[in-house]
């Protein structure tokens, strides 16, 4: 009779995890946080660049470019969401909603409401407002009032 063979796989991960010279999970997370913080301003340049495109599109006040402006507003909202710029994401989403409603229903574009959205988004990227949670909340509240006024009348 033959003796059964038992296969014992090599546990390389366990050996490496227990080997001297590694770093702890806490240290790795701290390093990751520092790396993200160091690159944050560079990555926020993408948000600012996309916001600049949206501002130029809105300035043209060209009703034929509303779909393009809605798409750009969507991209701003997406980027702002990725970088946890919650108020900017909310403002861009509000503009996207306004434009979607307008495109679906037709009619004359509410350029004043669109300009207010653009001004709000640009303001939210200013250092004096972006660093102040009360100022950001005030900008969003003002934007909500504009949207409610637009929807009412």
């Amino acid at each position: 009779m033959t003796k059964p063979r038992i296969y014992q796989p090599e546990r390389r991960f366990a050996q490496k995890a227990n080997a001297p010279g590694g770093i702890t999970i806490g240290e790795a997370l701290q390093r990751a946080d520092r790396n993200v913080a160091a690159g944050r301003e560079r990555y926020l340049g993408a948000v600012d660049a996309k916001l600049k495109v949206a501002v130029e599109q809105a300035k043209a006040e060209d009703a034929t470019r509303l779909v393009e402006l809605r798409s750009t507003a969507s991209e701003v909202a997406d980027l702002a969401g990725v970088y946890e710029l919650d108020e900017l994401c909310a403002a861009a989403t509000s503009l996207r909603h306004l434009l979607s409603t307008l495109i679906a229903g037709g009619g004359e574009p509410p350029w004043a409401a669109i300009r207010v959205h653009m001004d709000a988004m640009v303001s939210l990227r200013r250092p004096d407002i972006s660093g102040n949670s009360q100022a950001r909340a005030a900008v969003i509240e003002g934007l909500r009032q504009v949207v409610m006024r637009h929807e009412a009348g």
Side-chain angles (χ1 to χ4, degrees):
M1 193 179 243
T2 60
K3 190 175 180 183
R5 286 190 252 166
I6 299 175
Y7 174 71
Q8 192 74 25
E10 185 181 350
R11 298 181 183 161
R12 288 180 284 168
F13 179 76
Q15 291 170 348
K16 287 184 178 186
N18 292 326
I23 62 172
T24 65
I25 292 174
E27 291 170 337
L29 290 173
Q30 287 176 348
R31 284 185 188 179
D33 287 341
R34 282 193 305 266
N35 289 339
V36 167
R40 181 174 169 83
E41 287 307 312
R42 184 179 72 211
Y43 298 125
L44 289 178
V47 175
D48 293 334
K50 195 53 73 173
L51 183 55
K52 184 178 179 182
V53 170
V55 167
E56 293 302 316
Q57 290 171 340
K59 266 187 198 175
E61 293 192 8
D62 183 358
T64 62
R65 294 181 68 190
L66 290 177
V67 172
E68 188 179 346
L69 178 57
R70 181 184 61 185
S71 175
T72 305
S74 180
E75 291 174 10
V76 170
D78 292 345
L79 287 170
V82 167
Y83 298 117
E84 298 176 350
L85 303 172
D86 297 333
E87 292 84 1
L88 180 59
C89 182
T93 300
S94 176
L95 176 59
R96 180 177 55 198
H97 177 72
L98 174 72
L99 294 172
S100 293
T101 303
L102 176 67
I103 291 166
E108 185 63 29
W111 294 114
I114 292 170
R115 281 192 300 272
V116 169
H117 277 82
M118 298 311 303
D119 290 344
M121 290 190 294
V122 169
S123 294
L124 287 167
R125 288 298 297 135
R126 288 187 9 218
D128 57 323
I129 293 179
S130 67
N132 183 334
S133 62
Q134 290 176 337
R136 292 190 314 265
V139 168
I140 294 302
E141 181 55 34
L143 195 56
R144 283 190 187 123
Q145 290 176 9
V146 167
V147 169
M148 286 176 20
R149 192 173 297 153
H150 172 71
E151 289 175 350

